[in-house]
Amino acid sequence: MTRVSASETPAVILPTVAREVEEFVGAGGWEQPPQLFALVATSDLIEQQPELRAQLDPEASPLTPIAQDELTGDLGDALAGIEWPPAVTGCALAQEIVVLPPEAETELQHGELDDEAARRFAAEHPARREARLVAAVLRDGSVSCVLRLRGTVEVPEEVVEHPELAPNLTDALLATLRP
């Protein structure tokens, strides 16, 4: 586990937490439903539940991800119905997606496909890659994204990190944190 000091800025802490969430979800393998996590200050969690002191180190991990109940139905609708209490510093969502090459993305955007036809197009495209995306956000507006592209016999697994990988998703997650 990467050590991050509690005094470091959220911009440094959040990517570490996003990677930890991706690794946790990845340990369960592929073909999982979307998973939502509350991000809470580890020191606050220990204060509320002192029995966790032996398991958690606020200096090593200033934020602790806490898995939430399974999301059901449309992801956008589910996120729109979430309001986190003040004790939640941020949240993260892990979901599996299909990544298309740029030329297929262009073709998809210019086509006149409804949502179902677009999903079918992506799922059947010969150059598609399956991926796990983790988007994590904090109340202060910090954003981090980690994308793990699933490897194949021909193509090795690949990890990409950039805060702007999923702007619509991070905006939706930030909206769950607004009072």
Side-chain angles (χ1 to χ4, degrees):
M1 180 173 293
T2 305
R3 291 206 167 262
V4 177
S5 166
S7 64
E8 290 188 69
T9 63
V12 173
I13 295 168
L14 193 57
T16 300
V17 172
R19 286 189 299 274
E20 288 174 359
V21 167
E22 195 287 320
E23 290 168 6
F24 173 80
V25 173
W30 289 92
E31 298 171 25
Q32 296 185 49
Q35 296 178 51
L36 184 65
F37 297 82
L39 303 179
V40 299
T42 304
S43 57
D44 292 348
L45 185 58
I46 291 171
E47 188 175 308
Q48 294 290 321
Q49 299 181 30
E51 67 276 10
L52 296 176
R53 187 174 310 280
Q55 298 171 317
L56 301 173
D57 179 358
E59 287 299 316
S61 296
L63 293 173
T64 298
I66 300 173
Q68 302 299 294
D69 291 337
E70 184 175 327
L71 297 171
T72 56
D74 178 76
L75 183 58
D77 291 342
L79 290 176
I82 294 173
E83 292 181 33
W84 297 103
V88 174
T89 304
C91 61
L93 178 82
Q95 69 172 335
E96 293 183 12
I97 62 172
V98 173
V99 178
L100 297 174
E103 60 276 3
E105 289 280 350
T106 302
E107 184 180 338
L108 187 59
Q109 290 172 353
H110 290 38
E112 295 187 19
L113 302 175
D114 62 21
D115 287 347
E116 185 55 37
R119 278 195 271 293
R120 227 178 10 263
F121 173 85
E124 295 170 358
H125 196 281
R128 76 185 179 286
R129 292 219 30 213
E130 294 175 0
R132 179 180 308 107
L133 172 68
V134 173
V137 301
L138 297 177
R139 286 190 188 274
D140 71 0
S142 298
V143 170
S144 181
C145 295
V146 176
L147 179 75
R148 180 174 301 275
L149 292 155
R150 189 173 187 174
T152 65
V153 174
E154 301 85 26
V155 182
E157 191 171 90
E158 185 179 345
V159 177
V160 178
E161 294 184 46
H162 194 282
E164 295 178 17
L165 285 175
N168 292 340
L169 179 56
T170 55
D171 286 349
L173 290 172
L174 284 167
T176 68
L177 296 167
R178 293 193 178 101

